Amino acid sequence: MATRDAAAVPLIVDCDPGHDDAMALLLAVASPKVDLLAVTTTFGNCAVEDATRNAVRILTLAGVRDVPVAAGAQGPWQGPAELGNYVHGVSGLDGPDMPDPGFSAVDVSAVELMVDVLQKAVRPVTISATGPITNVARLLDQHGDLKPRIAEIVFMGGSTERGNHTPAAEFNAYADPESLQLVLNSGVPLRMVGLNLTHQALATEQVVDRLRAMNHAIGRTAAAWMGFFGSSYRAIWEFDAPPVHDPCTVAWVIDPELVTARDFFVAVETQGEWTRGATVVDIYNRYQRTPNVAVGLRLDVLAYWDLVLSHIDRLGVAP
């Protein structure tokens, strides 16, 4: 891991790796501006067992052995789990060969690990949530007294526009809208990284070429991840290049100037026959409700990719 700045942001990454989650984890490991305290996993892009194994293998690839990983939610607040492995493959991280896990996940739940980290941290902790937000909702529901220990939650989910898993709903929001609504109502500072933002973060051929040109296994593996991910996006959504959603959450923490945001009232539909999981972002204040989320609107694309790629390269050549 990188040598941390004295003012590094204490960070928990709650994720469901996932090719884009993998890139987010590499960025969190590499940046001196964040202090990765724990990784927790959830169902989402794959079953939670696969997500946990993937998280450990990603950290192993990055040369990290001292960040605890804990498995969390197997399914949503209510109802059956839906998985996104039609995008990421059965393992959740199909594509290039990965190293065997170099360590084991800890024998506590994701919520228990979050509680431990929050209680021990010197400063309030930021949570980057890149999958269905079930673990975070359970934390807030069961340990509301720890809210002051959470600096903010930066979550990938929803959209100001249309969805991807359904025409109305982004996958993470659709997978557990009840949990997302609990988080939205929590009063904890929130930043939203929705599809409207992440669809600006495309892994173009130029981006993949930069990864491929890195003279180390991490860069070549990341390039192959983007190849698999890109083939799914071309087949399913007719994208020329895949949107790399999840690193936007970590990048926004590292450099707040990367994202232009505005505060809006945000809710999520939990009942609609056709719109379950759709996020309602009140851009024009039609409901006259107090804003509860800083919603990312515009991404500085060139600066974003320079940050992500330079950190991955730095990680690959670190002693």
Side-chain angles (χ1 to χ4, degrees), residues 182-239:
L182 187 152
V183 174
L184 292 170
N185 291 341
S186 69
V188 174
L190 303 174
R191 289 196 251 174
M192 173 177 148
V193 172
L195 295 180
N196 58 287
L197 186 80
T198 64
H199 282 181
Q200 300 168 50
L202 301 176
T204 63
E205 191 59 37
Q206 291 81 4
V207 168
V208 177
D209 284 345
R210 289 174 66 182
L211 287 167
R212 196 177 291 121
M214 294 177 187
N215 189 30
H216 49 74
I218 296 175
R220 292 189 293 271
T221 300
W225 285 338
M226 293 302 95
F228 186 96
F229 195 39
S231 66
S232 295
Y233 261 83
R234 283 190 295 275
I236 300 168
W237 291 289
E238 301 179 355
F239 272 54

Side-chain angles (χ1 to χ4, degrees), residues 241-252:
V244 189
H245 313 280
D246 296 337
C248 293
T249 64
V250 178
W252 196 1

Side-chain angles (χ1 to χ4, degrees), residues 23 27 30-31 200-204 206-208 210-211 214 247 251 254-255 258 299-315:
M23 299 284 279
L27 179 58
S31 175
Q200 300 168 50
L202 301 176
T204 63
Q206 291 81 4
V207 168
V208 177
R210 289 174 66 182
L211 287 167
M214 294 177 187
I254 294 169
D255 183 359
L258 285 178
L299 180 69
D300 185 335
V301 176
L302 293 179
Y304 168 77
W305 278 117
D306 281 345
L307 184 144
V308 172
L309 296 176
S310 66
H311 280 71
I312 289 175
D313 199 21
R314 180 190 306 167
L315 188 64

Side-chain angles (χ1 to χ4, degrees), residues 145-191:
D145 59 305
L146 291 177
K147 287 181 184 180
R149 304 297 305 153
I150 301 173
E152 62 178 338
I153 299 165
V154 187
F155 69 94
M156 193 279 129
S159 181
T160 63
E161 300 168 357
R162 292 176 63 82
N164 58 0
H165 189 61
T166 72
E170 179 274 331
F171 173 78
N172 288 341
Y174 181 91
D176 194 350
E178 286 79 15
S179 284
L180 179 55
Q181 190 59 59
L182 187 152
V183 174
L184 292 170
N185 291 341
S186 69
V188 174
L190 303 174
R191 289 196 251 174

Side-chain angles (χ1 to χ4, degrees), residues 85 123 146 239 256 268 303:
N85 49 19
R123 303 199 309 276
L146 291 177
F239 272 54
V268 61

Side-chain angles (χ1 to χ4, degrees), residues 34-298:
V34 299
D35 184 7
L36 182 61
L37 301 178
V39 174
T40 54
T41 62
T42 179
F43 80 100
N45 290 328
C46 52
V48 69
E49 296 82 4
D50 291 321
T52 305
R53 176 176 170 82
N54 290 345
V56 173
R57 294 169 81 197
I58 294 159
L59 294 176
T60 300
L61 175 69
V64 174
R65 303 289 191 279
D66 58 351
V67 173
V69 176
Q74 296 181 339
W77 196 271
Q78 63 184 48
E82 289 210 26
L83 302 181
N85 49 19
Y86 64 96
V87 179
H88 298 272
V90 174
S91 74
L93 200 59
D94 282 10
D97 291 336
M98 289 283 290
D100 291 332
F103 62 100
S104 298
V106 297
D107 192 22
V108 297
S109 72
V111 171
E112 289 171 326
L113 180 57
M114 287 179 172
V115 168
D116 184 62
V117 168
L118 292 174
Q119 290 176 335
K120 292 179 178 177
V122 176
R123 303 199 309 276
V125 175
T126 294
I127 299 175
S128 165
T130 63
I133 207 162
T134 313
N135 290 331
V136 179
R138 290 177 178 173
L139 171 70
L140 296 172
D141 181 62
Q142 297 169 16
H143 302 276
D145 59 305
L146 291 177
K147 287 181 184 180
R149 304 297 305 153
I150 301 173
E152 62 178 338
I153 299 165
V154 187
F155 69 94
M156 193 279 129
S159 181
T160 63
E161 300 168 357
R162 292 176 63 82
N164 58 0
H165 189 61
T166 72
E170 179 274 331
F171 173 78
N172 288 341
Y174 181 91
D176 194 350
E178 286 79 15
S179 284
L180 179 55
Q181 190 59 59
L182 187 152
V183 174
L184 292 170
N185 291 341
S186 69
V188 174
L190 303 174
R191 289 196 251 174
M192 173 177 148
V193 172
L195 295 180
N196 58 287
L197 186 80
T198 64
H199 282 181
Q200 300 168 50
L202 301 176
T204 63
E205 191 59 37
Q206 291 81 4
V207 168
V208 177
D209 284 345
R210 289 174 66 182
L211 287 167
R212 196 177 291 121
M214 294 177 187
N215 189 30
H216 49 74
I218 296 175
R220 292 189 293 271
T221 300
W225 285 338
M226 293 302 95
F228 186 96
F229 195 39
S231 66
S232 295
Y233 261 83
R234 283 190 295 275
I236 300 168
W237 291 289
E238 301 179 355
F239 272 54
D240 292 332
V244 189
H245 313 280
D246 296 337
C248 293
T249 64
V250 178
W252 196 1
V253 172
I254 294 169
D255 183 359
E257 298 303 315
L258 285 178
V259 176
T260 301
R262 287 180 58 192
D263 294 339
F264 298 125
F265 171 71
V266 180
V268 61
E269 178 59 59
T270 60
Q271 300 297 324
E273 178 181 2
W274 299 102
T275 58
R276 177 173 169 81
T279 41
V280 178
V281 182
D282 191 7
I283 294 173
Y284 301 109
N285 198 27
R286 302 308 302 158
Y287 290 122
Q288 299 288 305
R289 301 285 294 270
T290 302
N292 56 346
V293 182
V295 178
L297 299 175
R298 290 188 299 279

